[in-house]
Amino acid sequence: MAAASVPPAVPAPIPPPPLPMSQGARVVNTFIAPSKTFTDIRRSASWWAPWILIGVTALVFGFAMGKQVGFEQISKYQAEHSKRADQFNNLPADQQANQLRVTGKIVGIFSYFSPLLILLYALIATVTLWLTFKLLFGGQTTFGQAYAITIYGWLPGIIGAILGTIALFAGINPEGFDVNNPVGTNLAYYLDADTTSRFVRGMASALDVLSIWTIVLIGIGYACTSKVKRSTAIIVVAAWYLIFKLTMAALSA
């Protein structure tokens, strides 16, 4: 008897590629399912939606600072708690007023041009991280993808801007307002600026909930676009963040 013929193997069906995500869906998923957002960045490195959100909230926060505190008062607080505080306090009253008037205008300019400055700061951060992953870990992330990762990774900052705006309009004490710590998302907010050294407060500000969230998001972004373990990517981003905070704390001291 002839052997029964064996039917040809049926190839397993190929799953369809994931549907492209809209910019709005990307923004939402950055908070609830970041891997989906950063995986989609491999398809398209567009970043205009999160930048608009970050820029608008930054502008609103800047407007609130100018209206509720005043840019000269912000400059005064910074001068009185800087390493040049003694030099400032020893100036005649008219020279103090002139200095605050100039620095206040500078603070205002920075506040109202913050959307453009965000692009510059993101460029600096992106170059640093992209080169680190590319040269040390063989990362396959393109520069455009890396820039999008940075912008999307900064989305938690809108929460800080919103909370800061609410606090300002809720009646915060203008004389005690610190633009570097407007809300209590980091440890430095709870330390007395008059009794704690500037270096300690600078390092304490590194323990910030929103900053840690951002570090994790950017690490996930590089893990989704390069052959780098997620834990390794997060550690690399955290290391650069700590280097930056350590440098700024040392300079302030």
Side-chain angles (χ1 to χ4, degrees), residues 43-91:
R43 177 190 62 84
S44 170
S46 179
W47 44 261
W48 59 265
W51 172 64
I52 290 176
L53 278 176
I54 296 170
V56 169
T57 54
L59 284 175
V60 172
F61 179 58
F63 170 79
M65 288 193 299
K67 182 177 178 60
Q68 300 299 109
V69 178
F71 295 125
E72 289 188 18
Q73 172 57 41
I74 292 174
S75 298
K76 182 180 180 182
Y77 181 92
Q78 295 300 312
E80 291 176 342
H81 294 84
S82 70
K83 60 183 179 182
R84 296 185 178 88
D86 293 337
Q87 180 182 351
F88 173 79
N89 292 327
N90 291 330
L91 290 174

Side-chain angles (χ1 to χ4, degrees), residues 131-147:
L131 287 177
T132 300
F133 282 106
K134 189 173 186 64
L135 298 178
L136 299 184
F137 300 93
Q140 298 177 338
T141 306
T142 66
F143 184 80
Q145 293 169 349
Y147 195 82

Side-chain angles (χ1 to χ4, degrees), residues 95-173:
Q95 293 185 27
Q96 288 186 9
N98 289 334
Q99 182 172 320
L100 293 177
R101 190 158 43 247
V102 173
T103 55
K105 289 180 179 179
I106 295 174
V107 172
I109 291 172
F110 271 75
S111 296
Y112 293 130
F113 280 87
S114 56
L116 297 179
L117 292 174
I118 286 168
L119 296 179
L120 175 61
Y121 300 151
L123 177 62
I124 296 172
T126 299
V127 169
T128 302
L129 291 173
W130 180 69
L131 287 177
T132 300
F133 282 106
K134 189 173 186 64
L135 298 178
L136 299 184
F137 300 93
Q140 298 177 338
T141 306
T142 66
F143 184 80
Q145 293 169 349
Y147 195 82
I149 289 170
T150 301
I151 300 294
Y152 275 96
W154 284 2
L155 274 173
I158 68 176
I159 297 176
I162 293 172
L163 292 176
T165 301
I166 293 173
L168 285 166
F169 282 106
I172 197 170
N173 177 21

